[in-house]
């Protein structure tokens, strides 16, 4: 149960992009198309998973005085591995990523999870946390990329959805459109989170006017018990 909790928290409740607002640089830069967002999300997830496993294994060996430089070296090693794999097997995506592939090394999501979680927990929990956070980040990028590509280009994963009838809204393919979509998604997730919290309130704490003003008869039940 603990591992599943660590996994699912990163998808919505503690989504690194839409809730904690981390990794906004690649989020805005690499979401002009759905395939770019999906690729960046998967690459970041691979680096996050590998670095968190290694850091969790070496947490008792790495001196506290140099832990951050050591974390960065470990992360950079996995970024280099991803870079080689993409360059060989997906060269077009590798060229699209450009400098943002190397910038995964200093992605605050990866360094933050390494410092806040992997360095303090077991390998199993670190794997669950890394996969959950990586999946949440990937889904956020995929959603943003899909919205911007559909509205801005009229395609989705290269498939034409307009059939020559509708004109794409080019604004969504620009940085301004990226900020707009990002802000709307953050607002929607924030609203849904507050709605779920309010639905969980029960008893007198959820009454606007206390027990006496409860519309469900909470006040009457209390008086009857007295």
């Amino acid at each position: 149960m603990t591992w599943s909790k660590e996994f699912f928290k990163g998808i919505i409740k503690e989504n690194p992009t839409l809730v904690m607002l981390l990794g906004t640089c690649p989020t805005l830069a690499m979401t002009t198309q759905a395939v770019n967002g999906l690729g960046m999300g998967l690459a970041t997830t691979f680096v996050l998973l590998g670095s968190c496993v290694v850091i969790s294994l070496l947490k008792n060996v790495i001196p506290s005085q140099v832990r951050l430089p050591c974390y960065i070296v470990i992360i950079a090693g996995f970024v280099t591995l991803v870079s080689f794999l993409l360059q060989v097997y997906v060269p077009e995506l590798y060229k699209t990523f450009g400098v943002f592939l190397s910038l995964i090394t200093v992605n605050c999501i990866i360094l933050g999870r390494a410092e806040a979680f992997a360095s303090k927990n077991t390998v199993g929990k670190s794997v669950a946390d890394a996969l959950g956070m990586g999946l949440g980040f990937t889904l956020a990028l995929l959603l943003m990329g899909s919205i911007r590509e559909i509205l801005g280009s009229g395609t989705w994963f290269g498939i034409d959805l307009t059939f020559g009838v509708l004109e794409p809204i080019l604004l969504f393919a620009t940085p301004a459109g990226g900020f707009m979509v990002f802000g709307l998604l953050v607002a929607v997730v924030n609203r849904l989170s507050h709605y779920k919290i309010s639905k969980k309130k029960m008893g007198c704490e959820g009454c606007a006017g206390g027990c006496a003003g409860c519309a469900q008869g909470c006040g009457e039940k209390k008086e009857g018990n007295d």
Side-chain angles (χ1 to χ4, degrees):
M1 291 299 294
T2 303
W3 289 6
S4 62
K5 180 180 178 181
E6 299 298 342
F7 173 78
F8 286 107
K9 71 179 182 183
I11 299 177
I12 296 180
K13 185 178 179 181
E14 297 182 17
N15 187 284
T17 302
L18 302 179
V19 176
M20 295 190 289
L21 304 182
L22 301 175
T24 55
C25 183
T27 299
L28 294 171
M30 300 305 304
T31 54
T32 53
Q33 293 184 332
V35 64
N36 295 342
L38 179 61
M40 176 58 69
L42 292 177
T44 305
T45 300
F46 177 83
V47 176
L48 178 62
L49 177 61
S51 58
C52 284
V53 169
V54 173
I55 290 170
S56 179
L57 289 171
L58 301 179
K59 61 179 180 292
N60 296 324
V61 179
I62 299 175
S64 59
Q65 297 85 349
V66 293
R67 66 184 187 283
L68 291 181
C70 291
Y71 296 167
I72 293 176
V73 170
I74 294 172
I75 295 170
F78 282 99
V79 171
T80 303
L81 177 59
V82 169
S83 178
F84 287 155
L85 292 174
L86 289 176
Q87 192 172 6
V88 172
Y89 295 105
V90 197
E92 293 183 359
L93 192 60
Y94 172 79
K95 294 179 181 179
T96 302
F97 285 167
V99 68
F100 291 99
L101 182 60
S102 299
L103 288 177
I104 295 178
T105 304
V106 292
N107 190 310
C108 49
I109 298 175
I110 301 176
L111 190 58
R113 299 321 297 173
E115 171 67 12
F117 197 90
S119 62
K120 300 178 177 64
N121 290 275
T122 62
V123 176
K125 289 184 178 180
S126 298
V127 168
D129 178 78
L131 287 175
M133 290 292 172
L135 179 59
F137 180 67
T138 303
L139 291 176
L141 265 63
L142 176 60
L143 180 58
M144 274 197 63
S146 298
I147 294 174
R148 294 182 66 188
E149 182 180 358
I150 292 172
L151 297 179
S153 303
T155 61
W156 188 62
F157 283 96
I159 302 173
D160 186 12
L161 301 180
T162 62
F163 303 104
V165 178
L166 300 176
E167 288 292 333
I169 306 173
L170 299 180
L171 172 65
F172 289 97
T174 65
F179 277 103
M180 184 184 302
V181 174
F182 181 64
L184 289 174
L185 289 178
V186 170
V188 170
V189 171
N190 185 56
R191 179 60 181 172
L192 292 176
S193 299
H194 282 289
Y195 177 76
K196 290 181 179 180
I197 292 174
S198 63
K199 291 288 286 184
K200 289 182 180 180
K201 290 184 178 180
M202 300 176 63
C204 300
E205 295 180 358
C207 302
C211 290
C214 181
Q216 298 179 354
C218 177
E220 295 178 1
K221 291 180 181 180
K222 183 177 181 181
E223 291 177 1
N225 293 333
D226 292 342

